[in-house]
Amino acid sequence: MNAMVALCHFCELHGPRTLFCTEALHPPSPSPSTQMGATIPGDRDRDADRDGEGLTMRANSSATQRGEMCDGCRSLPASHPGFVSIDDETGIRFLSHQHPRQPQLFSVVRQACVRSLSCEVCPGREGPIFFGDEQHGFVFSHTFFIKDSLARGFQRWYSIVLVAMDRIYLINSWPFLLRHLKLTIQSLQSTALKVFDGEQGVCPQRAVRMNSVFSPAVFPHQRSGNAARSLTSLTQHPNLWASLHSSFSWLLKACGSRLTEKLLEGAPTEDTLVLIEKQTEQEEEMNCWEGADGGASRSERHPSQSELAHDFLCDDAKLEELPDPKFRSLRHLRQVLGAAEFRQLVWHVLMGNQVIWRGAEPSLIQSAFIVLKSLLPVGCVRSIPFSAQYEEAYKCNFLGLSPDVPIPTHVSSSEFSVLVDVSSEASCQNSAVANDDVSTLHQFTISSANTQPADRGPTLLNKLEVALSNENLSVDVVSHCLLCLKEEWMKLKTGLSIFSSSCSLVCVIYSQQVLDGVRQHL
C-alpha cells in the first residue's frame, strides 16, 4: 500500500511534532540489462549515495531542529539508524524513523500532523477523522490522550495519522484501520495509565499544585523544567519504538493486501443464462429419477437434453478434434460455398428453418453444424449430427444424413427447409495425394423451395456479411462481433415481446371499459 503511518504529538512548548514515521519502499523494477543477468557498474555506488543523501538530510534536519526539540518532541536520537523490516514475499522494505527520508514526504507528513492536532478536531477531541485533498494527500487520523502526572490536565495529546493519495482506498479501509489502530492506542493508554497511577500513589500532583503558590511570571519557568516528557518515560516501555515499528509495518502490509483489484467479466450472456437454467432442470430431473427407481442413469432416458449444454460448451474443443477436411470458421464456410450460397444458407438458419446436410463424411457435416450453431442462441438449437433416417423438424433444426437417405416429398417441397448435398470429386477420389482443402475435395449443392429473395434482411445477416467480408478482422474478432450481435438481437426480441404483452393488456382493459360503458347505457 502506498501510504505512510506516523505518530504525532502536541508539545506544550513547541506545538505539533512528528515523533515516529513508517514508510514502505517498493523494490525497483529490473532494467533490461539486469534481467539478462548483467550488472551495471556504479549502481551500488549510486544507491549508497542516495542512502547517504537521506542520512545527511535527516542529520541536517535533526541538527537544525535540535535546539527546538525537547524530550517530548524526540523519539530516536540523531545517531540512531532507525528500524528496517523486509517482506520476503514482495521484497517491500518498511523503514521507520522520526522523519521521512524525502523532503516532499516530510512536508506532507508535517502538514498532516499539524492539521490532525490543531485544525481538524472531531467531537470530544478523541477519535477518528478524515481530511485531505488531491495535492497534499488524504489523511486518516485518530487522536487520543496519554496520561501524564506532570502535564497540564494530567494528559498529553497524541495522534496516529495514515497518509495516502488514494481517497477511495483509504475510505474503504476505514473499518479495518479503526479496528487495528484502536488496539495500538489502547495498549499505549493502558501502559501509561499504570505508570500514572504509580506516580500518583507516590506523590499526588493534584494536591501539590493546589497548595503551591501560582505566579504568572514564574509559571513558564516552572513548567519548562520537566514538563516535556518522552513517550518512553510515560509508558516505561524499553522497546516502545521497535514495537510501534512492527505494528505500523504490519498495518501497511495488511491494509495493502486486504483489498485487491479483480477483473470482472461483466453480466452473463443470454446463452449462459439458458445453460444455467437447463443445468438446473437436468439436476432436478436426475434427482427425481434417482428417487423413483434407485438412481438409474439419466442419459438412458433423455440423451438429447443431457447433450445440449455439453455440445455448446465444448464446440471449440470438438472442432479442433475433428479430422480434416473440415470447416474451421464462418469465414471459411463462406469462402467454400460462395457469398450468394452462404447468404442463402444463413438466411434459412436465422429464419428458424430446418437445415439438412447430406453427405458421406460425418466429420465434415458436424464441423458445418458447429460453425452454423454459433449464429443462434443456445436454446434455439436442436442438432442431430448424423442419422440413417430423416427426422422431423420439431425434433431438430440441424440434421445430418447419409448420402442414400431419401428426403420426404413434403420436406423437399416445403419452403421451411434447405438441403445441402455434399458430393466428392471423382478426380480427388482417385488421387493418392492427401489434401485437406474442402473446396477441392467436395462440391456443394444448395436447394430449397423457398422463392423469397435472400437479399433483404435480416439485419443480423447484413451486419455479419460486412464483418466476414472485411479481411482486416481476425476470426476471433468476428466471433466477438457475432456474440454482440446475438445479444443485441435477443434483447430486441425480449423488448418486442414485452411491448406486445403490454399492448395486449391495454387492449383487454380498454375492451372491458367499453363493455362496462355499453352495459351502463343499456
Side-chain angles (χ1 to χ4, degrees):
M1 181 180 181
N2 295 325
M4 298 181 62
V5 187
L7 174 65
C8 306
H9 165 55
F10 188 87
C11 180
E12 296 179 359
L13 301 177
H14 306 106
R17 293 290 182 177
T18 303
L19 288 181
F20 196 72
C21 179
T22 302
E23 56 181 318
L25 298 182
H26 295 264
S29 58
S31 60
S33 57
T34 57
Q35 289 180 355
M36 298 300 294
T39 58
I40 301 178
D43 281 350
R44 295 183 178 179
D45 297 338
R46 285 194 293 270
D47 294 338
D49 292 342
R50 295 192 189 100
D51 295 339
E53 291 175 0
L55 293 175
T56 304
M57 185 270 296
R58 288 199 299 268
N60 293 336
S61 62
S62 300
T64 55
Q65 297 179 2
R66 190 171 302 166
E68 302 177 1
M69 293 177 62
C70 58
D71 292 339
C73 301
R74 183 181 296 109
S75 59
L76 299 177
S79 59
H80 197 284
F83 301 93
V84 180
S85 296
I86 301 177
D87 186 6
D88 295 334
E89 298 178 359
T90 59
I92 299 176
R93 294 185 301 167
F94 298 95
L95 304 182
S96 296
H97 208 272
Q98 181 162 357
H99 301 291
R101 303 173 67 245
Q102 300 180 6
Q104 296 83 358
L105 297 180
F106 177 85
S107 176
V108 170
V109 175
R110 171 65 179 170
Q111 185 178 14
C113 171
V114 173
R115 294 185 63 177
S116 67
L117 294 174
S118 59
C119 307
E120 311 292 343
V121 181
C122 63
R125 300 187 66 188
E126 191 172 13
I129 195 171
F130 181 85
F131 59 88
D133 50 48
E134 296 287 346
Q135 182 179 0
H136 301 94
F138 299 93
V139 182
F140 175 86
S141 172
H142 195 297
T143 55
F144 60 97
F145 293 99
I146 294 292
K147 284 293 185 179
D148 182 8
S149 59
L150 300 181
R152 181 172 52 186
F154 300 104
Q155 59 186 8
R156 295 191 182 276
W157 197 8
Y158 291 84
S159 70
I160 297 179
V161 297
L162 192 142
V163 186
M165 299 303 296
D166 193 342
R167 175 175 58 89
I168 302 300
Y169 195 97
L170 198 58
I171 292 177
N172 291 334
S173 303
W174 177 290
F176 175 82
L177 296 174
L178 181 61
R179 181 170 63 254
H180 291 281
L181 285 181
K182 277 186 175 180
L183 297 177
T184 303
I185 293 172
Q186 290 174 0
S187 176
L188 292 175
Q189 290 178 336
S190 61
T191 307
L193 182 60
K194 295 179 181 179
V195 177
F196 174 80
D197 293 338
E199 292 177 350
Q200 289 292 95
V202 176
C203 180
Q205 291 294 321
R206 187 179 298 274
V208 173
R209 295 182 186 182
M210 292 180 64
N211 296 328
S212 62
V213 179
F214 175 77
S215 175
V218 186
F219 180 76
H221 301 283
Q222 293 177 345
R223 302 288 297 160
S224 61
N226 55 359
R229 302 173 64 186
S230 65
L231 186 60
T232 306
S233 63
L234 295 180
T235 58
Q236 296 297 324
H237 195 313
N239 298 321
L240 173 65
W241 305 118
S243 177
L244 285 179
H245 167 74
S246 301
S247 178
F248 290 169
S249 300
W250 179 89
L251 185 67
L252 290 176
K253 175 179 172 57
C255 191
S257 60
R258 62 179 296 270
L259 295 179
T260 57
E261 297 180 354
K262 294 184 179 180
L263 180 62
L264 301 179
E265 296 181 358
T269 61
E270 296 291 336
D271 289 346
T272 306
L273 295 177
V274 173
L275 290 176
I276 294 175
E277 293 177 0
K278 288 190 174 294
Q279 184 179 3
T280 305
E281 293 175 0
Q282 292 169 12
E283 291 176 355
E284 294 177 354
E285 184 181 358
M286 181 182 63
N287 295 333
C288 293
W289 281 107
E290 288 179 354
D293 53 357
S297 63
R298 179 189 46 169
S299 59
E300 296 177 359
R301 300 182 184 85
H302 300 282
S304 60
Q305 291 183 4
S306 62
E307 293 174 357
L308 177 62
H310 182 268
D311 290 343
F312 269 87
L313 291 175
C314 304
D315 276 348
D316 295 337
K318 290 172 64 177
L319 187 59
E320 293 294 333
E321 295 175 357
L322 292 176
D324 292 328
K326 62 183 177 182
F327 295 104
R328 295 178 176 82
S329 62
L330 284 173
R331 178 174 289 170
H332 185 210
L333 180 62
R334 184 172 182 266
Q335 292 173 354
V336 173
L337 297 181
E341 288 76 7
F342 175 81
R343 184 178 181 87
Q344 182 182 2
L345 178 61
V346 174
W347 187 90
H348 283 277
V349 173
L350 296 179
M351 289 294 105
N353 299 336
Q354 188 179 34
V355 179
I356 306 172
W357 282 62
R358 189 166 57 181
E361 296 189 13
S363 61
L364 180 64
I365 298 176
Q366 188 177 2
S367 67
F369 287 168
I370 292 176
V371 169
L372 290 174
K373 280 194 303 184
S374 61
L375 297 171
L376 297 178
V378 175
C380 299
V381 174
R382 298 175 305 278
S383 174
I384 298 179
F386 206 74
S387 176
Q389 62 181 2
Y390 173 77
E391 300 291 345
E392 294 293 338
Y394 69 89
K395 294 183 179 180
C396 60
N397 54 347
F398 288 94
L399 176 62
L401 298 176
S402 302
D404 54 350
V405 176
I407 304 297
T409 307
H410 72 279
V411 177
S412 58
S413 61
S414 175
E415 62 180 5
F416 300 108
S417 64
V418 60
L419 175 63
V420 181
D421 278 314
V422 183
S423 60
S424 300
E425 292 286 348
S427 58
C428 295
Q429 292 178 355
N430 299 329
S431 177
V433 180
N435 191 355
D436 60 352
D437 190 2
V438 180
S439 60
T440 305
L441 297 176
H442 301 88
Q443 284 187 347
F444 302 90
T445 304
I446 301 177
S447 58
S448 175
N450 194 325
T451 58
Q452 295 182 2
D455 297 337
R456 299 191 302 269
T459 307
L460 176 62
L461 177 56
N462 297 332
K463 293 182 179 179
L464 179 63
E465 284 276 310
V466 174
L468 291 176
S469 59
N470 189 355
E471 296 295 337
N472 295 326
L473 301 180
S474 63
V475 176
D476 294 336
V477 174
V478 174
S479 300
H480 286 82
C481 178
L482 178 59
L483 178 62
C484 297
L485 292 176
K486 281 200 304 182
E487 288 295 309
E488 181 182 356
W489 178 32
M490 286 184 283
K491 287 180 173 57
L492 179 60
K493 291 177 65 178
T494 304
L496 290 176
S497 62
I498 295 175
F499 177 74
S500 61
S501 302
S502 304
C503 292
S504 302
L505 180 61
V506 171
C507 292
V508 170
I509 296 174
Y510 180 74
S511 302
Q512 186 65 33
Q513 292 177 353
V514 172
L515 291 176
D516 293 341
V518 171
R519 291 193 188 98
Q520 292 178 2
H521 180 72
L522 294 177

